[in-house]
Amino acid sequence: MINREDMLELTRRMNPSRNCFVRVAGAYMDEEGFDNGTFNIHFGKLSQSETKRNLELAKTIPFAKTNEQLKEYEFPKGAERQKSMWSLLSALKKAELKDDALLSIFYEVIGENYKTDKEYSIFVFCGSYDVSVKGTDNEWMEGSEEVYDFLICAVSPLEGEYEPGKTEFGFLFPAFIDRSSDDNHIDIYNIDPDNVQIGVMDKILGK
């Protein structure tokens, strides 16, 4: 089960004055899952308006209804894990989205498994958060417990040319559990919990 407070803690680091993101990359996909263009940029190079739009897009995932729209899933163990996207996501995180070849593979995998009849965008954010120390009385203290490096992916239908609409699918990897990184789990978002993107979810989890 996802702790709502953990997610809210992350979203508090997703605003222009306290921004935890270092890079954003993405692709614009046609209805058949082929990309019509990609981008990859350091987050600090975005304009003020672009920064605000991208932060709102990224926040959709951790700010979603926990354990309804956003649910926690475990990757398989042992050799079965190789059937999942764990290795690809781990490599993307380690590269901080600077490897366009890995990103191209990621967009291709999503395109092959994401079901829609609309053009859509895939935005991937790379973030880093110094997890603040909390005392036994739940008061914030100086220093950090660990550095949580993570990816957020947001898949959205296009409302106009290169303009993402309301995010319909996405994920947070690795999961943020008990205020700590857990790369054995991933939090997956579906805007409609009764109509999930089962194909791409199965691909992510290696089912």
Side-chain angles (χ1 to χ4, degrees), residues 76-150:
K77 295 179 174 65
E80 290 297 307
R81 178 166 290 189
Q82 298 306 312
K83 298 178 183 178
S84 74
M85 289 176 64
W86 183 88
S87 294
L88 177 58
L89 297 179
S90 297
L92 284 169
K93 179 172 71 74
K94 184 177 181 180
E96 297 181 336
L97 302 182
K98 295 175 184 176
D99 190 323
D100 286 326
L102 287 174
L103 283 165
S104 181
I105 293 170
F106 176 74
Y107 303 143
E108 183 177 347
V109 172
I110 298 297
E112 289 174 350
N113 294 278
Y114 188 74
K115 303 304 178 186
T116 184
D117 59 358
K118 304 173 184 175
E119 295 182 337
Y120 61 99
S121 63
I122 304 170
F123 277 51
V124 192
F125 303 86
C126 178
S128 185
Y129 167 45
D130 286 337
V131 183
S132 302
V133 177
K134 259 189 180 182
T136 54
D137 56 359
N138 282 329
E139 291 295 320
W140 298 108
M141 302 171 64
E142 291 186 7
S144 63
E145 296 182 344
E146 69 169 277
V147 177
Y148 171 54
D149 296 319
F150 63 97

Side-chain angles (χ1 to χ4, degrees), residues 176-188:
F176 190 57
I177 300 176
D178 293 331
R179 307 186 66 243
S180 182
S181 176
D182 185 337
D183 65 2
N184 291 313
H185 292 83
I186 184 171
D187 295 339
I188 298 180

